[in-house]
Every structure is written in structure tokens, then in C-alpha cells.
Amino acid sequence: MFLSNSLTRDSTPLSNAERMFFTCKLTNDNFSSHLSEEKEKERDRLPPILPAPTTSSGILDRGPKGQFSTLSNFISIMNQKKESPINSCSPTQLIIPNNKNVRDLPPICPDVKQRHRISIDILPQELKAPVPLEPVIPTRTKSIKEFQEDIEKAKTTGDWKTVQEFYLTTFESFLELNAAFKKEANAPFNTTEDPGVNFKFLNIVYDALINTPADNQKSVLKGVINSLLREWKGPRTKDDLRAYFILVQNPQFTSPSTYVIYAHLLRQIASLAETDHHFLVHWFKKIPQRRFKQLVDRLLQFVSLRLFPGKPDELPPMAKCSWWIPSAVRILALLNAANSLSSPPVIAYTEFYNSTLDHIDLMEEYHTWQCYGNSQRFSFCQHPFILSITAKKVIIQKDSEQQMINIARQSLVDKVSRRQRPDMNMLFLNVKVRRMHLVSDSLDELTRKRTELKKKLKVTFVGEAGLDMGGLTKEWFLLLIRQIFHPDYGMFIYHNDSCCHWFCSFKCENYSEFRLVGALMGLAVYNSITLDIHFPPCCYKKLLSPPVVPSDQNTAVGIASLTLDDLYHVMPELAHGLNELLNYEGNVEEDFYSTFQVFQEEFGVTKSYNLKPGGDKIPLTNQNRKEYVQLYVDFLLNKSIYKQFAAFYHGFHSVCASNALMLLRPEEVEILVCGSHDLDMHALQKATQYEGFTKNDPTIRYFWDVVLNFPTELQKKLLHFTTGSDRVPVGGMSDLNFKISRNDIHTDCVHPTLLRLHHPMYLCLEYATFVF
């Protein structure tokens, strides 16, 4: 039986729905009336198949009523009943007619098997088994129009017999599925580019299925069971893959009552060979966007309900079906790969997030992944695309906190071992700076205390009284970033057309300040602080190249595979010009008269750089212009700023050196550093705290009436005015700890401190509007 390969490895208890469906599958009396005379004659020539014993009600005997059997045990019992002494002839045994010409073969002993091989050619004709032929897909001629007419007729008359026969026949086997939905019945369609499926007809059939009577839907599920119970011999064919591709899109699997069947389908797909998965990945790219998202949502819901069932006895115990979630996540991984290969992606990468996982023990998942890697034990961290940015932030924060505790504990042990009195300040990274020497003091402090960077950060401004409860730290970041990124400072160039900063390629003797900026970004992530900086997306790709610092110091870091699309985010005008070069229809060599050499101006001096060895002597032609563009992009975004970015990279990873970074996409690193663009002022209103006011005071109501009606740009300015950044942290507005305090000093303006808004009293909405 096929179940010995994939379904009998577990002892999964059957739910009530599964019992009903598998009972329907094995009930013989429902099919006897549908056999034609020709099929009866054909059946007479086949080995007899005895019906399984049934109860008085016609249902297969399943044993004592209280017994909660498994699928594998159930099938084993059926096999035993078929092989019972009632009929000594098993349907799988060869039937030898009573012929006088048949001669008995001598027994072959184990020690002479190799010397006495029996060729099939010397066997009598009656003992030769027929050579199995390639399965021929039956021809189906029902068109979309005919199917829709059948549906409309069934809705009008209430007679669903024709529709039910279509569904029962179509889903009875993989051959029938291909017959119904394959573009051409006997065409191979063996390429990754075309699954050969009539998507329009398939979607119409599935859409109609949901609105048909329950009997029709049960017929389809019974057919799916028939397909999954087929005994496989040899590798899967492309038609088999196509059948899996069709079945996994079945919308019936939204209901938890079908999850037992759905789980076995997912398991069979997950256990396919790697080459088969390669085909499925490329076929998934062809699914229409809405259907693709529905398939992803269905799998995410399956994982969520398996973790947290809606009803206690709705699904089998987790211990008996631990393979359900790994199978579903592996199919999600195929869909995620298909989405990543599509340009543009079919859906946003955030659509693969499962927010249910925010409520599980994430650190246990992380430690399992750290201990066992990507093999042996399953962990959600093996497939980080399913973890939301919130979940990843929790993992990074807790991992950071654990590292902070370890560093602080080691400092305490060192103090005690030297018989010195412990001081609470030793538990923190204490940074003391002068406002007039902010950058140099910060650089000196972080360099001198580079072994303490993973402690909790506390900032003190020399000559100023104040206890850092978070506000001074945020102010330090704000002032330092503002000064470092100022154009006069010369470290970064601001591109007006892309509204972002990029590294200055000018050579210098000391790159320590770039290391300082990287350390600042690392400290911001480590201490959950949002920074107001604007780097292009390719910066974060480079920051994760590689995500873990190599042990060999000579290994190149920060070198990413970047394209013209990445250059568009930094220098859009130059990228547009290079794109025009690629599409130029004339003679590039004669019209442009250029070589593989570029020029840059540094401090008033023009310098030339070869894009490849001997580039100044290689003419730019129509044939090599693609290579020229790729080398130019690589020069601008990688090679020309390598030393600057390498220092920046090592500064960031000196603080954030953690395997948890391997879980992040470049876009997610940007969100952790800079926050999100998505503003939700209603969420901010709910999370705001008040000092000297209540949320029902007229002044507060007027304030929110005005703010909620602001355009988005003004709302961003208000957020920047009060927090130092117009971005939202990963945890949302509730993580801002926003507070409005009453200001009793008479004034006609609102003034902030970080995360606190000092607000005057006003008595009417018109005056509140005037103030803002």
C-alpha cells in the first residue's frame, strides 16, 4: 500500500470528519450501480475482489465503538480482511489458470541464485506478466461554458446529479485531474515555464465548488483521498506534480474539518524530490496574485490553528501529528521562493508573516535553531520569512539582553576577584560627552570602552545635572547623527533627487568615524532606539553581506551583488542614463566613443579609474555595454567606497554581533534602525499618557480633533517635532511612550522634550487650530 511510504509513519488519530471521509472511500455499495455492462465483463477477467465485511447498516466494521484508531491501523485491518481465508486468492497475487502445460519450477536455493538466473524468456507464456504501459490520460471534452450551464441548471432545478458526477469523476485520480484541467490531455508540458494548467477553468470549478451542496463537496474530498491512497511505483511524473499543484489550491482546505486530509496532502508534497520542488516553485509563480495570496493565507491559517485550535477536540493531539506544521511550512517555503524569484514579487514579503507566532516561546525556537541548525529538529527560525518583524525584534532584544547580562556578570566577577567594591555603574556603558566636542568625545568614549558596548547605554552631558532615564540617550543620538550627516562634515553626500545619504568616496587617512556611525546604528538597534537617518536599501544589503563577521580578518565584507535597480535608489539620474545606454539602438562605439574607464572629481582634482584591467584601452561597444553597466554599478556602490563601508560594517557588528541577524531581510534591518513609514495616529491617541490632563478634557479633545485631520506630511512633522524622527518603531505607536504634559505658563505655542509634549490650555477648537 502507498500508505507504507508516507501515511503510516505516524499514529494520527482520526477526527470525526476523517472517519466519515475514509468510510465513504471504502464503501462498495455506492459504486455497484454505476458500473456498465462492459466494465462488468472486464471485471470478470480480473482477479476477484471480495467486499470487506460490513455492519448491518452497510458501514465498514471499525472495531469497538470506543476505539480511536489511526489511519495506518485502519488500512492494515482492511488488508488483513482482504487476505482472510474466506478467499485464498489475493487481488495482488498472480492468477494461474489450471493448464496441463504448466510445469513446476525447481526451488532456487540462496547459494545458487547467482549461478542459476531464470530469464523471463524461458518461462511459459501463461506465467509472463504483461509489461505495464504508460498511463494514457482520458479525454474530457467539457468546456467552461458547458460546466457553467450545468451549474446554472442545477441551481434552477435543484438537481445536482450532473455536477456531482463531474466532481466525483474529476477528483477520483491524478489521471482524471490532468484530463480535466490540463491544457492538452497528452501534451508533456515538462518545462518549468508552463505548468500546462487551464487556470481559468480550474478557478471556475473551485469557485463553484464552495457554493454546491455538501454531498458534492464530500465527493471531491473522497476523490482526494482516492488520489492520496494510490500506490506509487518509481519517481513522480510531471502529471503527478501537476495533480499536486491542482489539489493544493483546493479552497475546501480552509475548514478545520478537512485538515487531516490537507495535512497528508502537504506531507506528500513536502516529501517530493528536490527536482520536483524546483518545478513546483516555478509553477507557483504562474498562479494569479489573488489565488496565490489565498493559498498563502490558507497555509498560515493551518499553522495557526494547529498551534492554537479553536476547539479543544477539533484536531488530533499535537503529539500524534507533530509533522503537520513542518510540512505546511515547507510548502510555504516553496511559495516564498516563487515569490522571491518573481519580478516584481507576486505579493509583499510581509504577507508571509504569521502574527500567531509572536505568542509562542520564540527563544526556545531560537535556541533549537542554534543547537541543531537547519537539520534534525524543526524550528521556525529555519524559515525566518514566516516570523514577523515584531517576533524577530523580540529575539534580537532578548539575545541582546542575555549578552548584556553576561558582560555585566563578568565585570562583577572581575571586580570581586580583584577585591574591589562593586559599583552599579559597572553594569552600564557610561558615555560622558561635552556638547561642544560631541563627535570627538563620543568617538573616544566608544573606542576606549569597546569591550563594554553590549552593556545598557547611559549618557551624561558634562556639566549638566540630569539622570538618564532614556531621554538623554535619545538626545545624544539625535544630536550626534545630525552633526555627522551634515554636508559640511564631509562623511556622507546627500542626494536631493533620491532624498538619501551615501558614503563619500574621497580617500582619507582615518576611517574611524565611519566605524563610529556603524557602532551608533548597532547601539540604536541594541537599545531599541529609532534613528532619523536615510540610507538607500542597498546599504542594508551590504550590511548583511555577510550577516556574521568572518573569522578571517582578510575576508572582504560589505560586498553585495547589486544591480541597476539598486543604483536607482541612490543616483536615479545616473541610473536612468545607464539604462538609456543599454537601450540605445545606434552604434555605441562610434556615437559614445568611450572606454571601460570612469572619472571622479576629488577635492578639485579629476581622477580616472579602470573598471577592469586595461579598461582605458577597451572600447565600449554594443556587445559589451551590459558588462560595462554592471561594472560601473559595482564600482560606485562597492569598490569606490570599500574602506569606508568596511569600517562602517565592523562598527555595526561590533555591537550587534549575533546569529539573530541571519533571520533578517535588509528591509527589516532598515525598519529596526529607522522605524516604519506607516503612521497610525489613532493608535498613538490610544497609547498617549497625560500629565495634568485627562483624555476627556476639552483641550485634549480639541488637540486630537486637529491632529487626526492633519494631512500625512503634517502628522510626520508633529512626530518628528516630539520624538526626533518621523518614523514609527517596530512595536508600533504604543512603543513611543508618548506623553502630553500640562504647561501652566501662559504661551501661545506648544514645545516638546523628547517623547513629551508640553501643552498650553485653550478653550476652543478654533484657537487650537491657530496654535498648530
Side-chain angles (χ1 to χ4, degrees):
M1 292 295 290
F2 167 68
L3 296 171
S4 63
N5 293 330
S6 64
L7 299 183
T8 59
R9 296 175 189 170
D10 57 88
S11 54
T12 308
L14 294 173
S15 65
N16 292 332
E18 187 185 12
R19 290 185 180 186
M20 178 182 69
F21 295 140
F22 280 87
T23 300
C24 293
K25 188 263 173 216
L26 293 169
T27 303
N28 294 317
D29 54 346
N30 290 339
F31 295 97
S32 58
S33 60
H34 298 290
L35 295 175
S36 62
E37 294 181 1
E38 294 182 0
K39 289 184 178 180
E40 289 289 350
K41 294 178 181 179
E42 181 68 17
R43 187 184 182 111
D44 291 339
R45 294 194 294 270
L46 297 174
I49 302 177
L50 289 181
T54 59
T55 64
S56 59
S57 60
I59 305 299
L60 291 172
D61 186 11
R62 307 175 78 108
K65 201 167 188 178
Q67 184 180 359
F68 198 53
S69 62
T70 63
L71 177 59
S72 56
N73 293 338
F74 184 76
I75 299 300
S76 300
I77 293 172
M78 294 307 303
N79 289 337
Q80 293 173 6
K81 290 182 178 181
K82 287 183 180 180
E83 297 171 359
S84 62
I86 298 176
N87 184 2
S88 59
C89 182
S90 170
T92 58
Q93 292 175 342
L94 183 66
I95 307 302
I96 304 176
N98 187 12
N99 195 316
K100 295 181 180 180
N101 296 327
V102 177
R103 56 188 176 86
D104 294 333
L105 294 175
I108 301 178
C109 300
D111 57 340
V112 295
K113 276 185 179 180
Q114 297 299 324
R115 289 182 297 167
H116 298 279
R117 294 182 180 271
I118 296 182
S119 171
I120 192 172
D121 296 328
I122 67 174
L123 293 177
Q125 184 65 31
E126 59 271 13
L127 287 180
K128 292 183 180 180
V131 178
L133 300 176
E134 289 291 328
V136 178
I137 297 178
T139 303
R140 293 285 174 259
T141 58
K142 186 177 287 291
S143 65
I144 295 176
K145 183 178 179 181
E146 291 172 342
F147 176 77
Q148 291 175 328
E149 290 175 352
D150 290 343
I151 292 292
E152 293 300 324
K153 182 178 179 181
K155 289 180 179 179
T156 305
T157 63
D159 182 8
W160 292 86
K161 183 177 179 181
T162 303
V163 176
Q164 185 174 6
E165 288 178 353
F166 169 80
Y167 279 114
L168 183 62
T169 303
T170 300
F171 288 87
E172 187 177 14
S173 68
F174 282 9
L175 286 178
E176 294 289 349
L177 282 169
N178 280 275
F181 300 116
K182 199 174 179 181
K183 290 178 182 178
E184 297 178 24
N186 290 303
F189 291 108
N190 289 338
T191 67
T192 58
E193 298 304 319
D194 187 3
V197 173
N198 187 339
F199 282 108
K200 185 176 181 181
F201 189 28
L202 176 65
N203 294 334
I204 289 174
V205 169
Y206 273 148
D207 288 342
L209 174 62
I210 300 302
N211 299 315
T212 59
D215 290 342
N216 290 346
Q217 299 188 35
K218 291 178 182 177
S219 299
V220 171
L221 291 172
K222 182 168 65 174
V224 174
I225 296 170
N226 282 333
S227 302
L228 297 180
L229 288 176
R230 175 184 171 188
E231 182 176 3
W232 293 98
K233 294 181 179 179
R236 305 289 200 271
T237 66
K238 296 301 178 287
D239 285 336
D240 297 332
L241 297 183
R242 192 171 294 107
Y244 282 128
F245 178 72
I246 293 169
L247 289 177
V248 79
Q249 299 179 58
N250 189 338
Q252 290 178 289
F253 296 131
T254 304
S255 171
S257 62
T258 65
Y259 276 5
V260 174
I261 304 172
Y262 193 30
H264 287 293
L265 171 63
L266 297 177
R267 187 179 194 178
Q268 289 191 20
I269 298 176
S271 62
L272 292 172
E274 185 176 349
T275 53
D276 296 334
H277 284 164
H278 176 73
F279 272 85
L280 288 176
V281 165
H282 287 276
W283 288 358
F284 282 142
K285 290 163 50 181
K286 307 299 180 181
I287 299 179
Q289 181 184 29
R290 184 170 70 88
R291 307 285 175 175
F292 189 93
K293 187 176 185 308
Q294 289 175 348
L295 178 54
V296 172
D297 291 343
R298 200 175 299 130
L299 285 161
L300 292 175
Q301 177 183 299
F302 176 83
V303 172
S304 298
L305 291 179
R306 177 61 276 183
L307 287 171
F308 304 102
K311 299 177 183 178
D313 299 328
E314 189 174 33
L315 298 174
M318 177 70 85
K320 297 277 182 82
C321 52
S322 58
W323 50 271
W324 281 27
I325 289 177
S327 299
V329 173
R330 289 186 183 104
I331 307 306
L332 279 168
L334 298 180
L335 290 165
N336 180 62
N339 192 58
S340 300
L341 290 174
S342 301
S343 182
V346 182
I347 59 177
Y349 71 90
T350 54
E351 299 290 347
F352 285 90
Y353 287 168
N354 190 334
S355 57
T356 305
L357 302 181
D358 298 350
H359 306 286
I360 66 174
D361 190 343
L362 293 168
M363 294 313 294
E364 181 181 355
E365 296 290 326
Y366 179 67
H367 291 144
T368 299
W369 176 57
Q370 291 290 284
C371 294
Y372 297 96
N374 292 327
S375 59
Q376 298 180 12
R377 292 182 59 181
F378 171 80
S379 168
F380 284 109
C381 292
Q382 296 168 355
H383 307 277
F385 64 86
I386 199 174
L387 296 173
S388 69
I389 182 63
T390 304
K392 293 172 183 175
K393 181 186 177 183
V394 169
I395 293 174
I396 291 174
Q397 279 187 333
K398 290 187 178 297
D399 186 52
S400 301
E401 290 171 2
Q402 187 59 51
Q403 293 185 43
M404 288 180 183
I405 292 171
N406 292 339
I407 295 293
R409 182 184 292 119
Q410 186 61 45
S411 299
L412 181 61
V413 171
D414 291 343
K415 282 276 187 180
V416 173
S417 63
R418 292 196 297 265
R419 298 184 178 182
Q420 297 176 352
R421 177 178 296 180
D423 183 5
M424 285 301 296
N425 287 327
M426 61 180 290
L427 303 177
F428 297 92
L429 170 61
N430 294 287
V431 176
K432 295 182 180 181
V433 294
R434 297 167 294 176
R435 288 186 181 271
M436 298 301 295
H437 304 84
L438 192 63
V439 175
S440 58
D441 285 359
S442 300
L443 180 60
D444 291 341
E445 285 283 272
L446 295 182
T447 302
R448 186 164 52 88
K449 300 177 180 179
R450 58 182 177 271
T451 60
E452 303 177 20
L453 294 179
K454 294 188 177 182
K455 294 181 180 179
K456 185 69 175 176
L457 178 63
K458 286 183 67 175
V459 175
T460 303
F461 288 96
V462 176
E464 299 180 18
L467 183 63
D468 187 8
M469 301 300 291
L472 292 179
T473 297
K474 293 179 183 293
E475 185 181 6
W476 176 69
F477 273 109
L478 178 64
L479 296 175
L480 196 55
I481 291 296
R482 187 177 296 170
Q483 186 169 338
I484 287 176
F485 281 86
H486 195 280
D488 294 341
Y489 209 76
M491 290 180 62
F492 298 94
I493 299 174
Y494 184 76
H495 294 273
N496 292 313
D497 47 356
S498 61
C499 299
C500 70
H501 291 93
W502 191 241
F503 295 79
C504 180
S505 61
F506 295 172
K507 303 296 185 293
C508 59
E509 296 180 359
N510 190 356
Y511 297 95
S512 58
E513 290 182 344
F514 288 99
R515 188 181 181 95
L516 169 63
V517 178
L520 285 176
M521 282 183 56
L523 286 171
V525 173
Y526 218 61
N527 292 272
S528 302
I529 295 173
T530 302
L531 298 181
D532 183 29
I533 57 178
H534 303 277
F535 280 130
C538 61
C539 174
Y540 301 98
K541 291 183 182 179
K542 291 165 65 66
L543 205 55
L544 294 180
S545 301
V548 178
V549 179
S551 56
D552 185 1
Q553 296 182 355
N554 296 322
T555 304
V557 296
I559 301 294
S561 179
L562 303 176
T563 65
L564 195 58
D565 291 335
D566 295 297
L567 187 62
Y568 263 108
H569 290 100
V570 186
M571 309 169 191
E573 289 187 4
L574 177 58
H576 178 73
L578 291 174
N579 190 57
E580 290 292 319
L581 171 63
L582 292 175
N583 297 322
Y584 186 69
E585 296 180 355
N587 189 314
V588 172
E589 184 175 5
E590 293 180 358
D591 296 345
F592 286 85
Y593 197 69
S594 182
T595 63
F596 275 63
Q597 188 179 48
V598 294
F599 301 89
Q600 282 190 342
E601 184 177 339
E602 299 180 9
F603 302 109
V605 179
T606 301
K607 295 186 177 182
S608 62
Y609 298 93
N610 289 340
L611 297 180
K612 59 188 300 187
D616 56 329
K617 298 179 182 179
I618 302 175
L620 176 62
T621 66
N622 293 65
Q623 289 72 34
N624 62 19
R625 56 183 171 180
K626 287 186 178 180
E627 181 188 9
Y628 172 84
V629 170
Q630 184 56 46
L631 289 174
Y632 198 3
V633 170
D634 184 61
F635 173 78
L636 291 172
L637 303 182
N638 282 324
K639 293 181 179 178
S640 66
I641 60 164
Y642 175 74
K643 291 184 178 179
Q644 293 88 327
F645 197 90
F648 174 79
Y649 172 94
H650 285 292
F652 178 82
H653 287 274
S654 67
V655 184
C656 287
S658 170
N659 289 333
L661 288 178
M662 298 173 67
L663 304 175
L664 297 174
R665 296 171 57 97
E667 301 91 335
E668 292 170 333
V669 177
E670 180 180 8
I671 293 175
L672 285 176
V673 173
C674 306
S676 171
H677 289 284
D678 300 329
L679 296 184
D680 186 354
M681 301 306 286
H682 290 281
L684 180 63
Q685 181 184 9
K686 292 179 181 178
T688 299
Q689 301 174 11
Y690 301 98
E691 190 175 277
F693 288 115
T694 66
K695 65 179 181 180
N696 295 320
D697 285 344
T699 299
I700 298 301
R701 286 191 284 108
Y702 296 151
F703 170 79
W704 288 114
D705 285 342
V706 173
V707 170
L708 294 177
N709 288 302
F710 275 169
T712 303
E713 287 305 315
L714 278 181
Q715 289 178 346
K716 287 185 176 181
K717 287 182 179 180
L718 173 64
L719 197 63
H720 191 280
F721 178 67
T722 54
T723 68
S725 173
D726 61 0
R727 303 284 190 94
V728 181
V730 172
M733 290 293 197
S734 58
D735 277 9
L736 283 176
N737 296 321
F738 191 75
K739 181 179 288 187
I740 298 179
S741 300
R742 181 169 176 171
N743 185 11
D744 291 325
I745 301 175
H746 179 70
T747 179
D748 287 339
C749 66
V750 178
H751 63 94
T753 58
L754 283 175
L755 300 179
R756 182 189 293 262
L757 196 64
H758 295 278
H759 211 292
M761 291 287 293
Y762 41 68
L763 303 177
C764 63
L765 181 60
E766 290 77 9
Y767 186 67
T769 306
F770 169 76
V771 170
F772 281 93

